Amino acid sequence: MNDCNGSHPALAGAEAFIRANTALIAPPHVPEIVLHLADEVHELWLKTEEELAELGLPPPFWAFAWAGGQGLARYVLDNPGIVHGRRTLDFACGSGLVGIAAAKAGAGPVVAADLDPFCRAAVSLNATANAVSLEFLLDDLIDSDHGWDVVLAGDVFYDRPLALRLIPWFEKLAERGATVLVGDPGRHYLPKQRLEEIAVYQVPVTRVLEDAEVKRTTVWRFA
């Protein structure tokens, strides 16, 4: 694992790209946090996944504050006892929003993990902007267990194959005593029958990302 706030030779080009294509913006549901996000004035907002693929870039999920992540981050900030002093994983971290919220709430250490190499740079820049320290892991952690006390996952049940891998992993972590929380804006593959609802938010989003300007977002706990 690498400290996001330390030097890393692969960061420079990605960080320059992120700075050029984003602005520091406070997500509407978590105004205590600022992130490098794409907005209407940036070309990145308008590029399709196909255009980005032609440039050799993965879809920039790290450049947007998704409703599931905003809801989960809000819950963590409002309920710091959930993470305070506990080893915490922000799984499929994207921008690092949820991990940053956990760090602000006193979690420690916090690991942010994703498969997109650009997320390393995004998390590094965003952690610095919020004066917190995160570790970043570029890895598929499904089926692994590094002894986390808390596992946080914002908006991960949008894809059936992924959901089928996540459900038994999250259940196994919960069974051995980890707190596993999911922020979800109503994705089709969310296994509600295995979950306990603990909070509901109305999260402002953009129609470019979603089918509405406000998404009902629920925080769930694997029971």
Side-chain angles (χ1 to χ4, degrees):
M1 287 183 287
N2 298 287
D3 188 335
C4 285
N5 294 325
S7 60
H8 191 283
L11 285 178
E15 287 188 348
F17 177 87
I18 290 169
R19 288 194 182 96
N21 287 280
T22 64
L24 269 176
I25 298 170
H29 208 60
V30 277
E32 304 96 320
I33 292 173
V34 292
L35 302 171
H36 288 267
L37 301 175
D39 65 9
E40 288 84 351
V41 303
H42 288 98
E43 186 180 1
L44 183 66
W45 181 275
L46 304 174
K47 288 187 181 294
T48 65
E49 290 187 18
E50 292 78 13
E51 289 174 320
L52 289 167
E54 290 177 3
L55 296 173
L57 301 175
F61 296 115
W62 49 264
F64 305 101
W66 301 89
Q70 288 197 60
L72 185 53
R74 180 76 270 149
Y75 181 78
V76 168
L77 288 169
D78 290 346
N79 299 274
I82 292 290
V83 298
H84 187 80
R86 305 181 75 193
R87 294 166 295 178
T88 299
L89 171 67
D90 178 7
F91 174 76
C93 65
S95 66
L97 167 59
V98 177
I100 289 167
K104 281 182 167 289
V110 180
V111 175
D114 206 289
L115 290 176
D116 181 353
F118 264 77
C119 290
R120 182 194 300 275
V123 170
S124 175
L125 290 170
N126 291 333
T128 298
N130 290 279
V132 298
S133 180
L134 306 180
E135 293 177 293
F136 181 83
L137 192 60
L138 183 68
D139 199 1
D140 179 355
L141 293 178
I142 297 176
D143 294 329
S144 67
D145 188 347
H146 295 196
W148 309 291
D149 300 308
V150 181
V151 176
L152 305 172
D155 203 349
V156 292
F157 286 102
Y158 53 85
D159 176 79
R160 185 172 184 271
L162 177 59
L164 291 176
R165 296 183 65 208
L166 288 175
I167 292 167
W169 180 47
F170 284 163
E171 287 181 334
K172 188 177 297 184
L173 291 170
E175 285 171 2
R176 68 99 167 131
T179 300
V180 181
L181 302 181
V182 175
D184 187 87
R187 302 304 184 199
H188 184 68
Y189 301 106
L190 180 77
K192 290 184 181 180
Q193 70 279 10
R194 293 174 163 89
L195 303 172
E196 174 191 358
E197 179 182 304
I198 57 176
V200 179
Y201 302 101
Q202 301 297 324
V203 180
V205 291
T206 171
R207 283 188 177 274
V208 173
L209 298 179
E210 302 284 6
D211 57 359
E213 293 181 353
V214 176
K215 293 289 287 187
R216 184 180 189 273
T217 299
T218 304
V219 177
W220 303 87
R221 175 169 28 218
F222 267 78

